[in-house]
């Protein structure tokens, strides 16, 4: 049973790592300037890589307590970003004045995979995995 | 426990490997794409209207996308001159604009107006010299340029008139389109006969120019 929890957190760590590496690839290699909302999402995603890692070796169940708030706030920002990006909220509500706009399209793979979409997916999956591991731990108690 | 640790280390190694492969693939693809653009459309890199410095028949085109308000363009400028001097008659500098700062467009218009008085390079150098004063990021004072411009030997009254020319505005729009097509997202960005720098730096630029001259 202990292993299942471990692998769920390991999955979270893997997702956070992929998201971190991916976002660094976009900004440092492809030279896309990150918009302000991307920065807020990065601030919440990057520390997760380290927090999950600390919680994995050796396994520490309090990792959920520390990671969940970050992932949740990140998820809300990602939702907001996607709403702006897909024009569900009007662009004038966007907080980006200087530099790159939060709604400028940098990439679009297969017609729907965009950078804000990937961020939302990563945060959503992390939250789902965290919820599963929380349930397992609650049952154990 | 040991297995889990090796799983983590393995994943880190795998992610790093993917990242590095991605970097290589992307650089290769970009180099091929830009090489193709260079062959197919020379004027994407070296348009008729762009200011050029050096021998007119020089076979190596050092294209620099710059922003007169960008500090690192200012820092780079003496090195660009130095690299050109290392290959006399072989390299011509082509100035392209990347107006990424707040007052870039206004300054570009001044430059283009100075060009009509045959004082382009003098004006560029004066603008770069005093850039910390007029182009400070915390407190930009574009009005100050008028104080410094006479040092370039230009007639400032005529510049104020000439910079209103709608042709300059149109030219900047074309520059913006080319920035998009060539994927220029920072300044300065260099292309040597259509080839981009693999990584940014004076030595890297120097090597690329040297290689291109030697391959002729």
């Amino acid at each position: 049973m202990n292993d299942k929890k471990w692998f769920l957190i390991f999955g979270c760590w893997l997702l956070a790592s992929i998201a971190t590496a991916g976002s660094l690839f976009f900004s440092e290699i492809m030279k896309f300037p990150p918009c302000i909302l991307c920065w807020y999402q990065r601030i919440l995603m990057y520390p997760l890589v380290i927090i999950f890692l600390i919680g994995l070796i050796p396994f520490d169940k309090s990792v959920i307590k520390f990671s969940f708030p970050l992932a949740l706030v990140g998820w809300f920002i990602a939702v907001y970003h996607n709403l702006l990006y897909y024009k569900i909220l009007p662009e004038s509500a966007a907080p980006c004045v200087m530099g790159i706009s939060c709604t400028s399209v940098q990439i679009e793979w297969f017609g729907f995979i965009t950078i804000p979409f990937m961020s939302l997916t990563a945060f959503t999956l992390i939250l789902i995995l965290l919820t599963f591991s929380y349930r397992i731990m609650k049952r154990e108690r | 426990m040991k297995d889990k640790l090796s799983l983590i280390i393995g994943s880190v190694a795998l992610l790093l490997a993917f990242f590095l492969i991605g970097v290589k693939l992307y650089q290769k693809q970009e180099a091929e794409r830009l090489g193709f653009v260079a062959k197919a459309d020379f004027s994407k890199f070296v348009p008729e209207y762009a200011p050029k410095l050096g021998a007119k028949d020089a076979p190596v085109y050092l294209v620099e996308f710059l922003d007169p308000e960008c500090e690192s363009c200012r820092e780079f400028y003496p090195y660009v001159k130095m690299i050109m001097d290392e290959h006399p008659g072989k390299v011509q500098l082509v100035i392209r604009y990347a107006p990424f700062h707040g007052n870039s467009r206004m300054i570009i218009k001044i430059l283009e107006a100075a060009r009509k008085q045959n004082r382009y390079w003098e004006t560029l150098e004066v603008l770069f010299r005093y850039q910390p004063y007029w182009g400070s990021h915390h407190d930009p004072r574009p009005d100050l340029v008028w104080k410094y411009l006479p040092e370039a030997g230009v007639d400032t009254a005529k510049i104020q008139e000439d910079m209103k020319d709608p042709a300059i505005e149109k030219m900047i729009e074309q520059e913006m389109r080319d920035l998009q097509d060539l994927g220029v997202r920072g300044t300065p960005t260099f292309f040597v006969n259509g080839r981009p720098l693999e990584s940014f730096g004076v030595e890297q630029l120097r090597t690329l120019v040297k290689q291109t001259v030697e391959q002729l």
Side-chain angles (χ1 to χ4, degrees):
Chain A
M1 213 56 203
N2 181 39
D3 265 67
K4 203 168 171 189
K5 283 187 308 206
W6 192 89
F7 278 106
L8 283 170
I9 300 298
F10 176 74
C12 291
W13 172 77
L14 212 54
L15 281 164
S17 304
I18 293 168
T20 299
S23 79
L24 286 172
F25 190 86
F26 287 134
S27 67
E28 300 312 303
I29 309 300
M30 298 177 83
K31 307 281 182 205
F32 291 147
C35 84
I36 198 89
L37 285 177
C38 297
W39 273 116
Y40 291 142
Q41 287 162 75
R42 285 163 161 229
I43 288 165
L44 294 152
M45 182 63 85
Y46 292 2
L48 287 178
V49 177
I50 292 164
I51 295 175
F52 285 135
L53 194 62
I54 296 169
L56 283 174
I57 33 180
F59 188 80
D60 182 343
K61 64 179 179 348
S62 59
V63 71
I64 296 182
K65 190 167 79 181
F66 294 114
S67 57
F68 196 86
L70 287 174
L72 191 68
V73 177
W75 184 82
F76 275 117
I77 297 173
V79 168
Y80 176 62
H81 194 182
N82 276 271
L83 290 178
L84 285 181
Y85 197 83
Y86 292 104
K87 311 255 188 289
I88 298 165
L89 280 178
E91 162 128 50
S92 60
C96 313
V97 203
M98 292 274 278
I100 185 105
S101 151
C102 290
T103 53
S104 58
V105 178
Q106 303 277 20
I107 59 162
E108 201 159 23
W109 293 329
F110 315 114
F112 71 99
I113 300 180
T114 61
I115 296 174
F117 178 84
M118 286 190 270
S119 168
L120 181 62
T121 309
F123 277 117
T124 307
L125 290 176
I126 288 173
L127 284 180
I128 292 173
L129 295 188
L130 279 178
T131 311
F132 273 131
S133 50
Y134 177 72
R135 281 203 182 152
I136 292 172
M137 281 177 220
K138 223 175 140 189
R139 234 179 291 141
E140 279 174 2
R141 251 194 288 143
Chain B
M1 191 63 219
K2 217 175 149 219
D3 288 351
K4 287 173 178 169
L5 200 62
S6 24
L7 183 61
I8 290 172
I9 294 168
S11 311
V12 171
L14 206 62
L15 273 172
L16 267 176
F18 273 130
F19 193 87
L20 293 176
I21 291 168
V23 171
K24 279 285 152 223
L25 284 178
Y26 180 74
Q27 282 174 347
K28 200 165 153 256
Q29 187 203 324
E30 274 297 286
E32 273 169 18
R33 188 178 72 82
L34 290 163
F36 178 76
V37 176
K39 278 196 205 89
D41 196 356
F42 173 75
S43 67
K44 253 293 158 239
F45 290 93
V46 188
E48 202 77 40
Y49 59 75
K52 299 173 190 78
L53 184 69
K56 288 215 159 28
D57 58 345
V60 175
Y61 291 91
L62 172 54
V63 178
E64 177 178 7
F65 279 88
L66 65 73
D67 181 339
E69 204 174 348
C70 144
E71 310 93 315
S72 103
C73 300
R74 174 182 191 264
E75 301 278 319
F76 241 88
Y77 191 73
Y79 295 108
V80 172
K81 287 295 217 31
M82 185 190 83
I83 290 168
M84 288 185 66
D85 289 342
E86 285 174 354
H87 310 280
K90 290 270 181 14
V91 182
Q92 51 178 316
L93 176 65
V94 182
I95 299 289
R96 306 293 309 272
Y97 299 118
F100 291 157
H101 289 78
N103 301 300
S104 313
R105 279 169 186 257
M106 172 197 156
I107 303 295
I108 290 168
K109 285 175 184 172
I110 291 175
L111 268 169
E112 285 298 310
R115 201 169 153 193
K116 291 189 179 152
Q117 301 177 29
N118 265 327
R119 282 272 177 275
Y120 183 84
W121 302 99
E122 294 84 346
T123 309
L124 185 62
E125 275 165 29
V126 166
L127 286 170
F128 274 150
R129 193 178 317 138
Y130 294 106
Q131 190 205 53
Y133 303 102
W134 63 263
S136 149
H137 281 199
H138 302 288
D139 180 26
R141 293 277 312 276
D143 50 299
L144 284 179
V145 296
W146 301 108
K147 196 172 110 191
Y148 308 126
L149 279 174
E151 278 185 46
V154 289
D155 175 352
T156 49
K158 197 169 176 309
I159 286 197
Q160 284 188 328
E161 206 42 54
D162 286 344
M163 65 187 282
K164 291 177 194 146
D165 185 353
I168 301 175
E169 189 70 48
K170 252 179 83 185
M171 169 198 168
I172 296 176
E173 290 315 314
Q174 181 57 48
E175 298 288 90
M176 297 300 285
R177 277 192 289 277
D178 290 350
L179 287 174
Q180 281 267 312
D181 292 346
L182 299 175
V184 174
R185 295 188 186 88
T187 51
T189 294
F190 295 97
F191 293 99
V192 182
N193 279 3
R195 271 174 71 196
L197 288 184
E198 271 184 25
S199 65
F200 186 74
V202 175
E203 273 317 303
Q204 288 90 323
L205 179 66
R206 201 171 177 186
T207 314
L208 183 58
V209 171
K210 195 161 172 265
Q211 278 173 356
T212 316
V213 170
E214 278 166 3
Q215 276 168 12
L216 290 169

